Amino acid sequence: MSPKALLSLIVLGGVLLLASQGLYVVKETERAIKLKFGEVVEADLQPGLHWKVPFIEVVKRFDARVMTLDTNPSRFLTAGKKYVIVDAFAKWRIKDVRAYYKATSGSRLEATNLLAALLNKGLRDGIAGRTLHEVVSGERDALMTILTAQLNEQTQVELGIEVLDMRVKAIDLPEDLSRSVYNRMAAERNREAREHRSQGQELSEGIQADADRQKVVIEAEAYREAEQTRGEGDAEAARIYASAYNKDPEFYAFTRSLKAYTESFRQNDVLLLEPSSDFFRYLKDAQGKQ
């Protein structure tokens, strides 16, 4: 190989080495910062192909996607001096690369530790100003919204991190407090059950009294109608009897006497009557003899 060709290869190798050390690519999912002797010379590099001075400038890349901070359950004290165990998480991403690097030296572990500390402090301050009911159910959504805004404002200034969302996965009570709460809830439900039973009993008695009243009214009206119908029937029977008697009084009297004889003369019966009594009128002969 000639000296000229060897020189060309050396030059080409040097160019390739410089290119490999000087050219770099920032991806769409990354945020990058350029350092020179440890000092930030360019922050928030845009995605694409870039150039740096080899061996002098250093580029550090960080994940720009949304990340999740899942904290360990912690005990917090409410305004009523009751402890609650809160399990929360936060969604965050890098907002200011320069501030993020200065606060964490580019360590994601350090960033999560600092963010967790701020999150726990925000939860502690927020829960300390609210009662147990407000924390558990009444104002939990409103509390999370307020804490997210406050935490986001603080982390952007101190850590260069944007907090997108903050939520509570679970709020538990210590065992002794849980037992007390459950007992109080059971007592409250028993009280409500007694009230409902009392109201039901009162309603039942009212319905029963109204039914009894209606029963008396219906029976009275039915008795009145029955007596009226019976009276009308008796009157009609009397009218029919009177009409029949007027047609043949003698025959009517004869049939009445026969019926009386049938009902009066029974076996072993004894009647004390005068022979001249009108009762025996139809038992006499035509000459008036018995």
Side-chain angles (χ1 to χ4, degrees):
M1 180 180 295
S2 64
K4 185 176 181 180
L6 180 59
L7 180 61
S8 299
L9 288 176
I10 294 174
V11 172
L12 179 59
V15 171
L16 292 176
L17 179 61
L18 290 175
S20 64
Q21 294 296 321
L23 293 176
Y24 64 94
V25 176
V26 178
K27 298 180 181 178
E28 290 287 344
T29 58
E30 293 178 336
R31 305 292 294 274
I33 190 170
K34 185 187 294 185
L35 304 173
K36 184 177 182 180
F37 300 118
E39 295 292 332
V40 178
V41 294
E42 189 175 355
D44 199 13
L45 297 171
Q46 297 300 314
L49 182 64
H50 298 273
W51 168 261
K52 66 181 178 66
V53 178
F55 309 110
I56 297 177
E57 295 179 339
V58 178
V59 175
K60 291 186 177 294
R61 301 174 180 83
F62 311 107
D63 194 342
R65 293 173 293 185
V66 175
M67 289 173 280
T68 301
L69 170 64
D70 195 355
T71 63
N72 295 322
S74 302
R75 290 165 61 97
F76 300 100
L77 191 64
T78 66
K81 306 303 180 183
K82 302 293 185 181
Y83 279 102
V84 292
I85 301 175
V86 180
D87 187 5
F89 72 93
K91 296 289 186 180
W92 64 279
R93 65 185 175 187
I94 299 174
K95 179 71 173 180
D96 186 342
V97 186
R98 185 188 297 270
Y100 176 79
Y101 180 76
K102 287 183 177 181
T104 66
S105 298
S107 172
R108 180 175 175 182
L109 178 60
E110 181 68 15
T112 55
N113 290 337
L114 293 174
L115 180 58
L118 293 176
L119 187 148
N120 285 336
K121 181 179 181 300
L123 284 173
R124 183 176 296 105
D125 295 341
I127 292 175
R130 289 168 173 80
T131 64
L132 178 62
H133 174 73
E134 292 171 344
V135 172
V136 172
S137 59
E139 298 182 1
R140 186 168 70 178
D141 292 339
L143 174 60
M144 291 301 103
T145 301
I146 295 173
L147 291 181
T148 299
Q150 294 176 349
L151 184 62
N152 179 50
E153 182 178 355
Q154 187 176 7
T155 55
Q156 287 196 42
V157 174
E158 298 181 10
L159 305 178
I161 290 174
E162 178 185 11
V163 177
L164 302 175
D165 194 14
M166 177 180 171
R167 286 289 180 267
V168 170
K169 293 191 293 184
I171 298 180
D172 298 322
L173 302 176
E175 184 176 354
D176 55 343
L177 183 58
S178 297
R179 190 180 305 110
S180 174
V181 171
Y182 293 153
N183 291 337
R184 186 166 63 252
M185 291 174 61
E188 180 67 17
R189 296 300 178 269
N190 290 333
R191 183 188 64 79
E192 292 180 0
R194 288 193 297 270
E195 289 182 358
H196 288 311
R197 281 194 292 266
S198 176
Q199 294 173 0
Q201 182 66 26
E202 181 180 356
L203 183 61
S204 173
E205 291 177 356
I207 294 174
Q208 183 65 40
D210 184 66
D212 293 340
R213 181 187 61 79
Q214 292 185 25
K215 175 185 175 183
V216 173
V217 172
I218 292 173
E219 288 179 348
E221 291 179 352
Y223 180 76
R224 178 181 59 79
E225 293 179 0
E227 290 299 314
Q228 181 179 355
T229 303
R230 186 179 293 108
E232 293 174 354
D234 292 342
E236 181 66 16
R239 186 189 65 77
I240 295 174
Y241 286 146
S243 177
Y245 178 79
N246 291 330
K247 288 183 179 180
D248 193 345
E250 182 62 25
F251 180 74
Y252 181 73
F254 176 69
T255 56
R256 290 286 301 274
S257 296
L258 291 180
K259 184 176 181 181
Y261 296 154
T262 303
E263 294 178 354
S264 299
F265 298 146
R266 300 180 183 277
Q267 187 177 5
N268 298 325
D269 287 343
V270 177
L271 295 177
L272 296 177
L273 298 172
E274 293 183 3
S276 59
S277 173
D278 189 60
F279 183 74
F280 297 110
R281 185 178 60 166
Y282 291 103
L283 294 180
K284 297 176 183 180
D285 56 13
Q287 287 76 22
K289 297 179 181 180
Q290 289 186 342

